[in-house]
Amino acid sequence: MKEMNPQIGRKLQIIAESPELIASIGFFRPDWPEEYKKRAIEAMKSDTFRRHERAKQIMLLFNIEKIDVITDDQLENTRKLLADYDRLKRKK
């Protein structure tokens, strides 16, 4: 809202912030060779990839800020949010 109307932004005060969430995840097939996975990940994480016109278009289209490998721990906030959503949805 602040981006659309800067006047409102000057009047807003942050009272709480949600934890950082992972918006999307990509996967490889389990039988895909490990070497190919490593090469693909490194290529997508590189500056060269982000400078490539098609990569820019894809990242813009899907609103992707960065590509990185994550751990199970980094998914914890997203898992909690989904569990809360499921719990609240069942209460209806």
Side-chain angles (χ1 to χ4, degrees), residues 65-79:
E65 293 176 18
K66 67 178 182 175
I67 296 173
D68 208 349
V69 177
I70 59 171
T71 64
D72 281 344
D73 293 342
Q74 291 170 300
L75 284 173
E76 194 55 37
N77 287 333
T78 305
R79 284 188 183 113

Side-chain angles (χ1 to χ4, degrees), residues 7-66:
Q7 290 176 339
I8 290 175
R10 288 190 284 274
K11 295 177 183 177
L12 293 176
Q13 179 181 2
I14 297 172
I15 57 172
E17 290 186 53
S18 62
E20 212 174 292
L21 299 175
I22 296 170
S24 61
I25 301 173
F27 298 93
F28 292 102
R29 289 190 345 231
D31 62 335
W32 216 43
E34 195 63 35
E35 180 59 29
Y36 292 172
K37 292 177 195 177
K38 287 179 184 176
R39 285 176 40 199
I41 290 167
E42 289 306 313
M44 287 186 280
K45 287 171 51 177
S46 74
D47 288 334
T48 305
F49 177 79
R50 285 189 288 277
R51 286 194 305 261
H52 194 278
E53 195 56 41
R54 285 187 184 163
K56 286 181 190 178
Q57 291 173 355
I58 290 168
M59 292 179 79
L60 182 64
L61 177 67
F62 292 104
N63 197 24
I64 298 170
E65 293 176 18
K66 67 178 182 175

